[in-house]
């Protein structure tokens, strides 16, 4: 009996690209489309057999309708052999009128590959099969689903929601609608090898029994505090299923900085890692300190913010921690404290510099408290 060569085994491998939570939106059209452009490039580079969009591909049903032409134009770059599955997530139901469906619109893929409504849908392909589980408000009837036995070596499930018993970062107030919770037994019972999930915006992998449960995380920075690189996942199906995350550079990153404003209202230079920023980054700047002249401080903060805006796609600022002590320098006690601090302060490069900045802030606040209490007592 002739054994198969490594080349023949490689030819039998099937590769799929698993992505989720792209949130294509009219509001951030250019940015979100740049992310899907890179996803298409990744699919082309790896010659994948199927591209799995596991929910929240669009930020709302309205966005899906508006952006369907741009979506079509991009997936046309894929070869015909690359099949596309588009699963509706909870966001594809936002701002959707009764009796509307994604399948009523042309997204450049067969209607049967748009998964919405019903309990489940099974796609048989050579070497693998897709068990699609549409977004539902309640999955508790799964034990009664009459799903055929697995016919191919590998069964891939695609779903959008939360799996019970798994740790995750929690829901965000910005999510307009929460996805229902699924039981891992749904996937074990129906012989799933790889569960391709969407909904949670952090990349996660859990091995539960024989099931690989994978969230690629959001493919782009959709909201604040989505730190780190963003990914899609390349899935390889052969005798076993393997997967590897691939970073999406066009997604950029969410970065946050806490910046000190000194007593005279000066702000620091751009953060040390500013040269590493990507144009698609989202930067959150939080300013703190004690100032005597709020107007000067605000002008300097705005100048710094304008520099940041020239480099990245989005910036947000928080100045709530700026304390204003008007005319504090005229107070003898404060003036003496400030002179002593200025005399002994280390250079800005010293590791102790942040502690000295904090000491100045706390010292001046305490002095102001003493002055106010003295004035009350004398009155």
């Amino acid at each position: 009996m002739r054994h198969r060569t490594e080349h023949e085994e490689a030819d039998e491998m099937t590769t799929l690209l698993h992505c989720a939570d792209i949130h294509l939106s009219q509001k951030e059209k250019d940015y979100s489309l740049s992310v899907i452009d890179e996803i298409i490039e990744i699919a082309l580079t790896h010659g994948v057999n199927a591209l799995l969009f596991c929910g929240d591909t669009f930020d709302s049903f309205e966005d899906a309708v508006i952006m369907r032409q741009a979506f079509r134009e991009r997936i046309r770059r894929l070869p015909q052999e690359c099949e596309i599955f588009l699963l509706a997530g909870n966001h594809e139901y936002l701002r959707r009128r009764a009796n509307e469906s994604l399948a009523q619109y042309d997204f450049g893929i067969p209607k049967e590959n748009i998964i919405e409504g019903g309990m489940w849908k099974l796609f048989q392909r050579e070497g693998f099969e897709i068990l699609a589980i549409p977004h539902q408000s309640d999955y508790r009837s799964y034990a009664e689903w009459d799903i055929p036995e697995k016919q191919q070596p590998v069964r891939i499930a695609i779903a959008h929601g939360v799996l019970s018993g798994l740790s995750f970062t929690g829901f965000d107030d910005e999510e307009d609608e929460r996805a229902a919770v699924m039981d891992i037994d749904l996937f074990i019972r129906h012989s799933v090898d790889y569960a391709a999930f969407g909904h949670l915006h952090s990349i996660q992998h859990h091995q539960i029994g024989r099931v690989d449960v994978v969230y690629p995380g959001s493919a782009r920075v959709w909201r604040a505090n989505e730190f780190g690189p963003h990914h899609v996942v390349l899935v390889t199906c052969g005798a076993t299923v393997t997967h590897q995350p691939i970073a999406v550079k066009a997604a950029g990153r969410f970065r946050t900085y806490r910046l000190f404003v000194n007593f005279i209202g000066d702000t620091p230079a751009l953060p040390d890692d500013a040269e590493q920023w990507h144009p698609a980054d989202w930067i959150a700047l939080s300013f703190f300190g004690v100032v005597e002249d709020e107007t000067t401080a605000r002008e300097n903060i705005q100048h710094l913010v304008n520099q940041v805006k020239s480099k990245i796609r989005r910036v947000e600022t928080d100045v709530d921690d700026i304390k204003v002590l008007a005319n504090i320098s005229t107070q003898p006690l404060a003036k003496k404290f400030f002179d002593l601090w200025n005399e002994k302060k280390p250079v800005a490069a010293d590791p102790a510099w942040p502690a000295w900045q904090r000491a100045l802030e706390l010292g001046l606040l305490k002095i102001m408290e003493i002055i106010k209490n003295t004035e009350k007592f004398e009155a």
Side-chain angles (χ1 to χ4, degrees), residues 119-120 133 136 138-139 141-147 186 190:
M119 299 293 182
W120 57 271
I133 302 171
Q136 300 163 46
D138 191 338
Y139 297 92
S141 65
Y142 72 87
E144 302 167 11
W145 296 355
D146 188 22
I147 299 174
L186 186 163
H190 296 299

Side-chain angles (χ1 to χ4, degrees), residues 344-364:
K344 297 181 180 295
K345 69 179 180 182
V347 296
D350 193 301
W353 177 239
W356 276 82
Q357 292 176 315
R358 181 64 173 159
L360 176 62
E361 177 186 10
L362 294 176
L364 291 174

Side-chain angles (χ1 to χ4, degrees), residues 51-341:
L51 181 52
L52 313 177
F53 290 104
C54 294
D56 290 1
T57 303
F58 300 93
D59 202 40
S60 69
F61 187 85
E62 181 180 80
D63 284 308
V65 172
I66 293 170
M67 300 193 68
R68 69 188 188 280
Q69 180 178 345
F71 181 83
R72 284 198 310 266
E73 290 170 355
R74 280 152 178 82
I75 64 171
R76 280 197 195 112
R77 298 179 55 212
L78 294 169
Q80 288 187 342
E81 311 86 70
C82 179
E83 192 169 11
I84 298 171
F85 297 88
L86 179 64
L87 177 80
N90 55 300
H91 271 259
E92 274 87 13
Y93 287 87
L94 296 179
R95 296 194 286 281
R96 179 193 291 220
R97 294 189 296 270
N99 301 320
E100 277 190 316
S101 70
L102 293 175
Q104 292 172 328
Y105 296 90
D106 180 11
F107 289 90
I109 61 178
K111 282 187 177 184
E112 58 269 22
N113 286 26
I114 298 176
I115 299 117
E116 56 181 344
M119 299 293 182
W120 57 271
K121 196 171 184 178
L122 188 64
F123 300 85
Q124 293 281 358
R125 299 294 183 264
E126 186 65 35
F128 72 101
E129 53 192 47
I130 299 286
L131 173 60
I133 302 171
H135 175 67
Q136 300 163 46
S137 59
D138 191 338
Y139 297 92
R140 284 177 293 183
S141 65
Y142 72 87
E144 302 167 11
W145 296 355
D146 188 22
I147 299 174
E149 293 294 322
K150 184 166 68 172
Q151 300 297 313
Q152 299 297 328
V154 172
R155 175 172 281 181
I156 307 290
I158 58 177
H160 189 86
V162 179
L163 207 55
S164 62
L166 299 188
S167 62
F168 64 99
T169 56
F171 295 107
D172 191 278
D173 291 339
E174 292 183 29
E175 294 207 84
D176 301 280
E177 182 183 339
R178 296 179 179 181
V181 176
M182 286 172 258
D183 195 310
I184 184 59
D185 183 57
L186 186 163
F187 302 91
I188 296 171
R189 178 184 294 263
H190 296 299
S191 304
V192 170
D193 299 288
Y194 179 95
F197 266 87
H199 188 59
L200 301 186
H201 283 205
S202 60
I203 186 167
Q204 298 193 32
H205 169 228
H206 303 272
Q207 180 77 44
I208 306 176
R210 65 189 302 275
V211 185
D212 274 315
V213 176
V214 178
Y215 288 89
S218 53
R220 60 112 158 178
V221 183
W222 180 65
R223 61 190 169 202
N225 300 317
E226 291 184 351
F227 294 99
H230 292 252
H231 302 88
V232 293
V233 176
L234 184 68
V235 184
T236 303
C237 307
T240 58
V241 181
T242 60
H243 64 276
Q244 68 176 90
I246 298 174
V248 180
K249 295 177 182 177
R253 295 195 181 193
F254 178 80
R255 303 175 189 268
T256 183
Y257 301 90
R258 186 164 166 78
L259 303 178
F260 178 71
V261 180
N262 69 19
F263 183 64
I264 60 175
D266 289 339
T267 56
L270 291 176
D272 293 340
D273 64 348
E275 294 303 317
Q276 301 173 23
W277 290 351
H278 187 279
D281 283 353
W282 175 347
I283 307 294
L285 303 176
S286 174
F287 295 92
F288 73 100
V290 174
V291 302
E292 189 170 36
D293 184 344
E294 183 179 25
T295 301
T296 299
R298 293 272 184 165
E299 288 173 352
N300 291 334
I301 287 171
Q302 188 58 52
H303 178 70
L304 180 64
V305 169
N306 289 341
Q307 289 184 63
V308 175
K309 282 182 177 178
S310 70
K311 294 177 176 290
I312 51 93
R313 75 174 173 100
R314 182 168 178 177
V315 61
E316 61 182 40
T317 60
D318 180 0
V319 295
D320 289 346
D321 280 349
I322 298 289
K323 307 293 192 304
V324 181
L325 301 181
N327 300 318
I328 186 70
S329 62
T330 63
Q331 300 292 336
L333 181 59
K335 187 176 184 304
K336 184 175 182 179
F337 172 76
F338 189 75
D339 289 343
L340 286 170
W341 181 91

